[in-house]
Amino acid sequence: MSEEMNQVEVKNFEIGDQVTGQVTKVEEKQVIVNIADSKLDGIIPISELSSLHIEKASDIVAEGDELDLEVLKVEEDALILSKRKVDAQKAWDDLVQKFENGVVFDAEVKDVVKGGLVVDLGVRGFVPASLVEAHFVEDFSDYKGKTLAFKIVELDKEKNRLILSHRAVVEEQKGKQKQEILQSIEVGQTIDGKVQRLTDFGAFVDIGGIDGLVHISQLSHDHVERPSDVVEEGQQVKVKVLSVDRDNERISLSIKDTLPGPWANISEKAPKGSVLEGVVKRLVSYGAFVELFPGVEGLVHISQISHKHIGTPHEVLKEQQTVKVKVLEVNEQDQRLSLSIKELEEKESEIPADYQMPEESKGFQLGEMIGDQLKNLKK
């Protein structure tokens, strides 16, 4: 086509016209297209290919692509065109609908910049760092190229401002999960959980979208000084549901109730006749309670404390004293142990008070005693 004919045809177009063009050549910083229904060429500068910054035109288009374009400038023999403006207009119409209806949609993270992430939705969408996740993220470098679900939280077409949030989607999903769990969970259930955080009074455990509290008294059968002595953050645990307050969204859990009790298999740990070491925990009028294992105490009845007659256990024992005991009886079901200290002590060699001496022996001894006294008087 001659230059004169080009100039004539160019005059048929005005700034703002919408045209379709087929890519005939992709250069580094611009793209050449043939305008549909004409033999006129158009030029798309690299800056007009995308709402995002791009290094080379081939990252966006290839030869043969059909593009919807807008006329930016009418030159003497060519048109300067924009793909970006058409994409943006289409995008804004779609984005306004998404924003008004609270639609959740997937999009790829195109870039990581200072302060957040960039997403290309036909227009540049920005995700502030605080709206990426519900938890703190120190380094966002591996988010580039990731596809995430987003909601639009702020939209201003005039200022070309589009703010997105992935955090809002995450929190919305968590909210739904939380309600589902609150409605389905039952007291007495044993479920798997993950320790989320520790406090002075216990541990919060995630049971699939909602946290429940394991009070420090429910962490172990043993006495616990600090929750960190028993569990750690990130640990997988089994918990039993103690109570559910759906109105206040509170769940009480127990790890202790999922563990074997201290009395489990006590018949094997403390069989009848065995000798064990324990600590005197309590003294009462009728005996002493001795702890053999954490949470397992047995009774040494006052009659089993000593071979000597004693009025109270305090006469021979004191609390926190370590003693050796013999197991007399084991009742695992009723959680009772009968113990003896006396059976491990040697009997004193003394004549029982009720012992009857033989008659002959009595007479013999008496005669000897009288004879000895007479001899002494004669002297």
Side-chain angles (χ1 to χ4, degrees), residues 309-326:
H309 174 74
I310 57 173
T312 68
H314 296 81
E315 291 176 27
V316 289
L317 295 173
K318 59 184 179 181
E319 291 182 357
Q320 299 307 313
Q321 180 180 342
T322 299
V323 293
K324 280 193 180 297
V325 293
K326 184 176 181 180

Side-chain angles (χ1 to χ4, degrees), residues 164-178:
L164 309 174
S165 174
H166 174 61
R167 176 179 176 170
V169 179
V170 171
E171 289 178 341
E172 196 174 276
Q173 289 172 342
K174 279 188 174 180
K176 287 178 182 176
Q177 282 182 318
K178 198 173 185 178

Side-chain angles (χ1 to χ4, degrees), residues 56-205:
K56 52 185 188 293
S58 57
D59 290 340
I60 300 294
V61 295
E63 284 187 21
D65 285 354
E66 291 277 350
L67 306 176
D68 291 325
L69 307 161
E70 183 176 316
V71 178
L72 288 183
K73 195 185 290 186
V74 179
E75 300 283 6
E76 285 188 6
D77 59 349
L79 300 175
I80 306 302
L81 306 166
S82 174
K83 175 179 181 294
R84 178 179 64 83
K85 291 193 78 171
V86 176
D87 290 346
Q89 184 55 52
K90 288 179 182 174
W92 279 118
D93 293 343
D94 180 50
L95 293 169
V96 168
Q97 290 293 317
K98 284 183 165 68
F99 180 53
E100 290 177 349
N101 296 307
V103 174
V104 175
F105 56 90
D106 292 340
E108 184 183 334
V109 177
K110 289 293 184 183
D111 207 358
V112 176
V113 296
K114 186 177 180 181
L117 311 176
V118 175
V119 177
D120 181 15
L121 297 171
V123 294
R124 182 182 187 273
F126 183 62
V127 191
S130 61
L131 298 183
V132 177
E133 297 288 1
H135 58 271
F136 174 72
V137 178
E138 191 167 342
D139 182 12
F140 288 104
S141 56
D142 63 344
Y143 277 70
K144 187 172 181 178
K146 263 189 181 181
T147 297
L148 300 175
F150 294 104
K151 279 184 85 169
I152 300 169
V153 293
E154 192 178 331
L155 181 148
D156 189 331
K157 185 178 177 181
E158 288 182 12
K159 293 181 180 178
N160 205 40
R161 182 176 173 83
L162 179 66
I163 304 298
L164 309 174
S165 174
H166 174 61
R167 176 179 176 170
V169 179
V170 171
E171 289 178 341
E172 196 174 276
Q173 289 172 342
K174 279 188 174 180
K176 287 178 182 176
Q177 282 182 318
K178 198 173 185 178
Q179 289 306 313
E180 286 172 5
I181 291 170
L182 276 169
Q183 295 309 313
S184 64
I185 199 167
E186 296 291 342
V187 172
Q189 271 184 297
T190 298
I191 46 184
D192 293 322
K194 183 179 181 181
V195 179
Q196 287 293 90
R197 58 193 175 92
L198 303 178
T199 66
D200 291 339
F201 53 84
F204 285 94
V205 175

Side-chain angles (χ1 to χ4, degrees), residues 283-332:
L283 295 175
V284 292
S285 59
Y286 54 86
F289 286 94
V290 176
E291 185 181 63
L292 299 182
F293 307 100
V296 176
E297 291 182 4
L299 174 66
V300 182
H301 190 267
I302 190 168
S303 64
Q304 291 295 330
I305 290 176
S306 175
H307 288 291
K308 293 178 182 178
H309 174 74
I310 57 173
T312 68
H314 296 81
E315 291 176 27
V316 289
L317 295 173
K318 59 184 179 181
E319 291 182 357
Q320 299 307 313
Q321 180 180 342
T322 299
V323 293
K324 280 193 180 297
V325 293
K326 184 176 181 180
V327 179
L328 300 181
E329 294 292 338
V330 185
N331 188 328
E332 190 169 315

Side-chain angles (χ1 to χ4, degrees), residues 229-261:
D229 293 339
V230 183
V231 291
E232 59 185 20
E233 289 183 7
Q235 183 178 340
Q236 298 289 336
V237 291
K238 280 198 180 298
V239 289
K240 184 177 180 180
V241 181
L242 299 182
S243 68
V244 182
D245 182 345
R246 292 184 172 87
D247 293 335
N248 295 305
E249 298 185 352
R250 289 179 182 168
I251 299 174
S252 295
L253 306 170
S254 173
I255 291 175
K256 179 175 80 173
D257 284 1
T258 68
L259 303 172

